[in-house]
Amino acid sequence: MDSDVRTGSDRRPRREPLIAPSLASGDLARLADEARIVTGGSDRGADWLHVDVMDGHFVPNITFGLPVVRSLARHTSLPLDCHLMIEDPDRWAVDYAEAGAYNVSVHVEATGDPIALAGRIRAAGARAGLAFAPHIPLEPHLGTLAHFDTLLVMSVPPGFNGQRFIPEMLHKVRVARRLVDAGELDVLIEVDGGVNLGTIGAAAAAGADCFVAGTAVYGTNDPARAVRLLRAKARAAYEGG
């Protein structure tokens, strides 16, 4: 999943693009089935399953909570990518790691001690991610980001599905990509929001590694095929196509 490939005109080592369908865009009455249809059989399916946790306070909407993540972990082989759009993640994030999440991302402005929280998430067995909403600049937090495994760049405001991709957010991706390629930062770069066949190429060309896609996957008649098409589009952008 994380094997390096040589892509682009400068032949830099790059990861194979990872596709993370966003379960919040699926049929909420059939979560295990929605996970299953993007898992893949003989063909490669999704790489991660993105789980948006919203509490109705940090963002206006309410989606999934800890019991849902615990249940999902028992019913899917896909790594669970939990994006906590919640107040007080310092209290709750470790519980999601212990519940079986592979990656737990918290918003930089929501946590009181992000570096300490990253250590606790890792100690509980998960990757630690730091999420940036569109209005939060990246540069002031680069020192903090160095303690995390994943950078989650939101290309839409948090809290709602189906929003339009904000291309200006790719500046953050480019900054992080330069630092990663220079060996000054070691994070997987994830883009979340408005990712579809029309936008994934720009996100990949900017340097993203992982792509969260909601309606672009679950809003189609064939979600598994949609995953394959998105990956092919990102891979082509890596190769300069």
Side-chain angles (χ1 to χ4, degrees), residues 129-172:
L130 196 61
F132 287 78
H135 68 286
I136 302 295
L138 178 67
E139 287 84 351
H141 303 285
L142 290 175
T144 298
L145 185 59
H147 296 268
F148 284 78
D149 304 295
T150 305
L151 162 63
L152 176 58
V153 175
M154 294 211 67
S155 43
V156 299
F160 298 91
N161 293 328
Q163 298 182 80
R164 187 180 297 274
F165 185 87
I166 305 173
E168 290 79 8
M169 294 304 103
L170 294 182
H171 166 73
K172 297 176 185 177

Side-chain angles (χ1 to χ4, degrees), residues 3 11 35 43 54 66 79 85 90 92 100 103 127 184-185 223 241:
S3 59
R11 313 304 293 171
D43 294 328
M54 306 182 193
L66 194 58
M85 289 173 271
D90 301 83
W92 297 106
N103 184 79
R127 297 169 57 99
E184 299 176 25
L185 195 62

Side-chain angles (χ1 to χ4, degrees), residues 172-195:
K172 297 176 185 177
V173 176
R174 295 186 188 99
V175 169
R177 183 81 257 161
R178 286 195 296 269
L179 293 172
V180 170
D181 288 345
E184 299 176 25
L185 195 62
D186 184 15
V187 292
L188 183 145
I189 305 168
E190 184 175 13
V191 173
D192 179 8
V195 173

Side-chain angles (χ1 to χ4, degrees), residues 10 69 87 89 115 144 181 200 217-218 239:
D10 56 359
V69 171
E87 291 183 351
I115 294 174
T144 298
D181 288 345
I200 194 170
V217 171
Y218 285 116
E239 296 169 352

Side-chain angles (χ1 to χ4, degrees), residues 23 31-33 35-36 39 48-51 64-82 95-104 124-126:
L23 200 58
L31 294 182
D33 290 337
R36 189 175 303 112
T39 300
W48 293 1
L49 188 65
H50 191 77
V51 182
F64 311 117
L66 194 58
V68 170
V69 171
R70 286 197 186 101
S71 294
L72 276 172
R74 295 194 299 267
H75 288 90
T76 181
S77 60
L78 288 174
L80 299 181
D81 177 30
C82 291
D95 290 340
Y96 284 87
E98 293 175 343
Y102 174 75
N103 184 79
V104 180

Side-chain angles (χ1 to χ4, degrees), residues 16-127:
E16 174 74 359
L18 306 179
I19 306 299
S22 179
L23 200 58
S25 293
D27 184 342
L28 302 187
R30 303 171 57 249
L31 294 182
D33 290 337
E34 296 290 63
R36 189 175 303 112
I37 61 177
V38 297
T39 300
S42 57
D43 294 328
R44 177 179 172 186
D47 299 284
W48 293 1
L49 188 65
H50 191 77
V51 182
D52 286 312
V53 178
M54 306 182 193
D55 65 357
H57 297 284
F58 183 75
V59 292
N61 283 331
I62 297 174
T63 54
F64 311 117
L66 194 58
V68 170
V69 171
R70 286 197 186 101
S71 294
L72 276 172
R74 295 194 299 267
H75 288 90
T76 181
S77 60
L78 288 174
L80 299 181
D81 177 30
C82 291
H83 176 192
L84 306 189
M85 289 173 271
I86 64 174
E87 291 183 351
D88 199 13
D90 301 83
R91 176 182 177 185
W92 297 106
V94 172
D95 290 340
Y96 284 87
E98 293 175 343
Y102 174 75
N103 184 79
V104 180
S105 291
V106 300
H107 277 259
V108 63
E109 73 274 31
T111 172
D113 192 342
I115 294 174
L117 183 56
R120 292 168 53 215
I121 292 171
R122 286 170 161 176
R127 297 169 57 99

